[in-house]
Every structure is written in structure tokens, then in C-alpha cells.
Amino acid sequence: MKRSTTWILMTVFPLCAATFASAAEPAQRLQRATGLWKVTPATSPFSWEICVDHARDRLIDDDLWSGFEQECKIESHSRQGDSYQFASSCPDAGLTGTFKGDLAKAYTLSADTTVQVNGKSEVQHTELAAVFQGACPAGLAPGAKKMRGGMVMKSLYTDR
């Protein structure tokens, strides 16, 4: 199935799901501290809170590209201090990203998804900022997301 910019826009933000496993070694996975995280995209009005379980967290899969671990291959990566960069190839797309910050307190993510549309490269830029909020509230299961407005999405961890 070909991905398009419209499909990515419709999938990445409203569904807000993505992972980092079979495509990457466990040491390369970006895993947040256990607890409640508030994630705010700079390029979309759809913010959310996610109840993270560190052992099952997959930041890229859960907040950027659903199915990343199964669909994509990390082509290159590097880490310097509190910054991590990667470039990957995915079906009909390329995904590059930079994470900065502390995955126990706060971080930012900047990512570019490149797809071919009618023979031309189109780039979708995504920026997210996330801040640790403390313990998860009662009733919000690990892996569940609470969207702005109150809608709760089921746990992303059911297959982990």
C-alpha cells in the first residue's frame, strides 16, 4: 500500500500511534520513564497524554509511526549527549528524526517523512514536545492515550 502525505497526516496525528523494535536493537529504542506524559505537537492541535510503562514503551511507534518496528529499517543512527538522530527507510517513504532531551523529564522530537507523490518528493515535517507529568491517573491503563477533549484510546501495549 502506498503512503501519501494525506494518509500520513490523517494517521500520525489523530491516531497518534508508533514503535522501535524489530527494526532496531533494544539499545536503540527510545523509552520514556514510567508515568504520565503530555505530548504536544507543534504542527497540529491534537495533543494527548499517554500512560507510559517504560518496559513496553516504544516512542517512535507510539507517537510517530504506527508499525515502525515491523515496517521500517534503521539505515543510520547516532547519539551525542542528550541528542539522538536516525534515518530509516519505510514502505514508500523515508523517515528521519532527531530527539533531544531527557526521557525521564522532557524531550523534543523533530522528524521528516519523505514520500513520492506524482513523481515528486513531498516532505511532511513533524515536531513534538513532551513533558513528564508524574504518576498515571487512576483509570488510565498503561499504553492508553487520553486525547485533548477527553477521548481515551485503548492501550497500545496489547501485543507487547
Side-chain angles (χ1 to χ4, degrees):
M1 171 170 81
K2 289 201 175 256
R3 294 194 185 254
S4 68
T5 302
T6 302
W7 181 87
I8 291 169
L9 284 169
M10 292 174 63
T11 303
V12 171
F13 296 117
L15 297 179
C16 306
T19 310
F20 207 97
S22 63
E25 294 300 314
Q28 296 170 311
R29 288 183 180 156
L30 299 171
Q31 294 172 285
R32 296 166 281 198
T34 295
L36 187 68
W37 284 84
K38 179 170 178 116
V39 180
T40 306
T43 53
S44 168
F46 299 105
S47 63
W48 62 90
E49 295 177 328
I50 181 171
C51 182
V52 168
D53 173 2
H54 175 78
R56 295 186 285 177
D57 187 41
R58 305 291 185 270
L59 183 88
I60 293 175
D61 257 280
D62 296 345
D63 288 343
L64 187 60
W65 183 296
S66 179
F68 181 83
E69 289 186 7
Q70 292 75 35
E71 296 177 6
C72 303
K73 179 181 179 197
I74 299 291
E75 300 291 341
S76 65
H77 61 91
S78 64
R79 188 180 296 268
Q80 183 175 351
D82 71 348
S83 181
Y84 176 86
Q85 295 86 33
F86 73 93
S88 62
S89 60
C90 305
D92 302 313
L95 177 65
T96 60
T98 301
F99 294 85
K100 289 185 179 186
D102 182 342
L103 293 174
K105 296 178 183 173
Y107 65 87
T108 59
L109 157 67
S110 177
D112 289 319
T113 304
T114 305
V115 296
Q116 295 294 313
V117 178
N118 298 326
K120 294 174 73 176
S121 289
E122 301 254 345
V123 177
Q124 178 193 342
H125 183 72
T126 304
E127 291 185 34
L128 303 172
V131 178
F132 184 72
Q133 303 291 298
C136 293
L140 192 62
K145 287 185 178 183
K146 182 177 180 182
M147 305 305 288
R148 190 179 103 202
M151 181 179 84
V152 176
M153 297 175 69
K154 68 179 184 165
S155 176
L156 302 168
Y157 300 161
T158 55
D159 295 331
R160 295 185 198 159

